[in-house]
Amino acid sequence: MSDPLFVARTVLRDRVLIVDDEAEILVALTDLLEDEFDILSAVSGQEALTIMADHPEISVIISDQRMRDMTGDVFLSEAGKHSDAGTILLTGYAELHTVVGALNRGVITFYAAKPWEPGSLRAMVREAAAACRTRRALATEQAILRSLFDNLPLGLAFADDMGRITRLNDLAAASLGHSVEDCLGHTEQELLSSLPSPSADQGNSRQDLVMRPDPSGRERWHRISRVTLAGSDARVIADNGAVTPALHRSGLGTVSVLIDQDVTDLIEMEKRARQADKMQAIATLAGGIAHDFNNLLTAVLGSLELVTDLQPPTDPNVARLFTNAMDAARRGAVLTQKLLDFSRPRDLARRAVDVPVLLGQMQGLLTQSIGGGGPRAIPVRLDIPDEKLPLASTDPSLLEVALVNLCLNARDAQPKGGEIVISARDAIIRPETSSNAVESSSGENKKADRHLPPGHYVLITVTDRGIGMSPETQARIFEPFFTTKSVGSGIGLGLPMVYGYMRRNGGDVRVTSTPGAGTSVALWLPIVQSQTDLEASPRKNDSPAPDLSEARSVLVVDDDPNVAAVTVGFLQKAGFSVLESHSGAQAIRLVEKRPDIGLIIMDLLMPEMNGDECARRIAVLRPDLKILFVTGFADRAMLPKHARVLPKPFTREALLSGVEERLSA
């Protein structure tokens, strides 16, 4: 087995090529050097050149001057074109003039006269090999630095003491708006006419933030750092080849280094962060008033509904006033929800949702939300296929809010009347590797949306026959606070909220519009993949709805007596036996005393004891007791896992639907 240390030493040994047409000389030189060097030999210049082509690692070439095919100085001159190896010429005393000429031309490193002195020749070979190693190490370092210089993610440029650019990479040239060749020899001021002249006292380093348009005209922000190197520092740079000969001639008084960093993305991130801070401030402000405001809206809406049930108005003027009041309250609720959802998006409570069932339950609510029977009433028609659709995976409450927003926009887009059509279809996006197409149940094929991964989706489309939108307007509809409505008619948060909800839900929203021909907004909802989700939501016609009149007592817990009164009134009207409580502590006492309570409808934000804390205490007493939370400002991080939430303000239909769902679960 070979000695590893011997192998290592062998790998590190310098390789020497000996060229002589006399075999005795080759043997003598090999015997002299082989203990310290790896030896290759050739008997002619041509043979040596062939060996060199196969062994570029040769460090030293020793050549005789007198050879049959070519003289040694001619051979070494030719060898120098292909190798940086050190060269030693062996010659007789009568050929010293040839040696002098070769030295002057840089063809040879050393020469030795025949007969040579062994120790002196070995020293020459060692010195030539060491010089070769140094040259190659320097060349490697220079290649690395040159590659780093050219491929830096920063613009880098050097300038002489007159400010003239002597070297720069492509990024620096692009920032200056010229090619590398056009920048050399010019100052920044000459290349950028808008650049101010440098002041007399700028110190050794400084930074500037400047805006420079790119070739397409887009604004790009650059952080320009300038560092001045003087005296010996500049000479070090020059000695390492980082400056041009023109700088050598300038005397190397100073060298200026310019570092150009494109910080456009960073500045945009900072802008987004500032915008996020603003929206967080809005969220804090909105959250402080939303709970009480939504309580007021709940009391107003609920009271109006209950009064209408008790004594429907027969006078057309009174009926119109009732309708106006209901419409104003609903619009206030939608406005509050837009602010909350945009400034602090709610966490998704994704469940398996039967879209046709949800749309059927919402049709009456949507008709009322967009005008009821008033002068701006527009019919809402459902277009649902006969075949059963897959279950969609989404948060049903956020889907309802999104549909209300879209229907309100569709109504406003048809000031002279019209119709709103809500359709539901299933759609499949094939992988790009196959067809890259969308296949719907109607048989139509469309190009797949890049934002959507391949898979199965439920497609809900809201279509109107209104005024439509221009391409310029369509390009901005998802921008926060952008609106085409008049002052007081919209704040530009509806569609951004819908867009944010759909993207967080793993889907997308796509808008198709033609001026004068209407608008179609498509919501792409991913379908349920797991069996667990399938069991979380009842399918249409799978089981009969529970008989609400036979349900056990319902406990209503709300610190606002007006909201509690509305909730109790809705439930009693539906046939429930209802208990009422205005604090968490009182609710716990009632649960302890009344085993007949089968459901609790509880406000989330209450003084002294919040709804989430009250629910945890009740769970210890009655783990089987179901709870439906109602709130005007729900932070899902406060709620138990899988909690069901009904947002305020709610209608009677929404409340009873939530109660039915909890009792059926």
Side-chain angles (χ1 to χ4, degrees), residues 376-389:
R376 300 184 67 187
I378 293 178
V380 177
R381 179 169 61 86
L382 301 182
D383 179 14
I384 299 174
D386 296 332
E387 63 270 16
K388 188 174 294 185
L389 295 180

Side-chain angles (χ1 to χ4, degrees), residues 178-380:
H178 298 273
S179 66
V180 171
E181 293 75 13
D182 290 341
C183 292
L184 294 174
H186 296 279
T187 66
E188 279 189 88
Q189 286 73 23
E190 291 172 345
L191 297 170
L192 296 171
S193 57
S194 60
L195 190 69
S197 300
S199 59
D201 184 14
Q202 295 178 334
N204 289 332
S205 64
R206 62 189 177 95
Q207 281 191 350
D208 298 304
L209 185 64
V210 299
M211 190 282 292
R212 294 175 181 170
D214 62 13
S216 66
R218 180 191 174 194
E219 292 184 354
R220 306 292 300 183
W221 287 93
H222 298 259
R223 179 175 287 124
I224 309 297
S225 302
R226 294 177 174 84
V227 180
T228 301
L229 304 177
S232 60
D233 292 333
R235 289 184 177 86
V236 169
I237 295 175
D239 292 340
N240 281 277
V243 293
T244 63
L247 187 52
H248 285 280
R249 293 194 298 271
S250 70
L252 291 176
T254 59
V255 172
S256 299
V257 184
L258 182 147
I259 303 171
D260 184 341
Q261 181 182 9
D262 189 326
V263 294
T264 305
D265 293 341
L266 179 61
I267 289 179
E268 289 179 353
M269 288 177 60
E270 292 175 350
K271 289 180 179 179
R272 289 195 293 269
R274 287 195 294 269
Q275 180 67 14
D277 290 341
K278 293 178 182 179
M279 297 313 301
Q280 183 61 39
I282 293 176
T284 302
L285 177 62
I289 64 173
H291 180 260
D292 290 340
F293 185 63
N294 279 328
N295 278 346
L296 292 175
L297 290 174
T298 301
V300 170
L301 278 169
S303 297
L304 289 173
E305 286 193 62
L306 290 172
V307 168
T308 304
D309 289 341
L310 293 174
Q311 188 174 358
T314 57
D315 187 332
N317 292 326
V318 174
R320 179 182 177 184
L321 292 175
F322 266 104
T323 300
N324 287 344
M326 293 284 285
D327 185 49
R330 291 190 185 100
R331 290 175 65 85
V334 171
L335 175 60
T336 304
Q337 195 60 59
K338 284 181 181 180
L339 286 170
L340 293 177
D341 287 341
F342 180 75
S343 58
R344 182 180 295 176
R346 289 184 287 171
D347 292 336
L348 293 174
R350 295 177 69 165
R351 298 172 38 228
V353 175
D354 192 324
V355 170
V357 171
L358 181 140
L359 293 177
Q361 293 172 346
M362 286 191 66
Q363 187 173 17
L365 172 64
L366 291 172
T367 301
Q368 292 179 354
S369 297
I370 62 174
R376 300 184 67 187
I378 293 178
V380 177

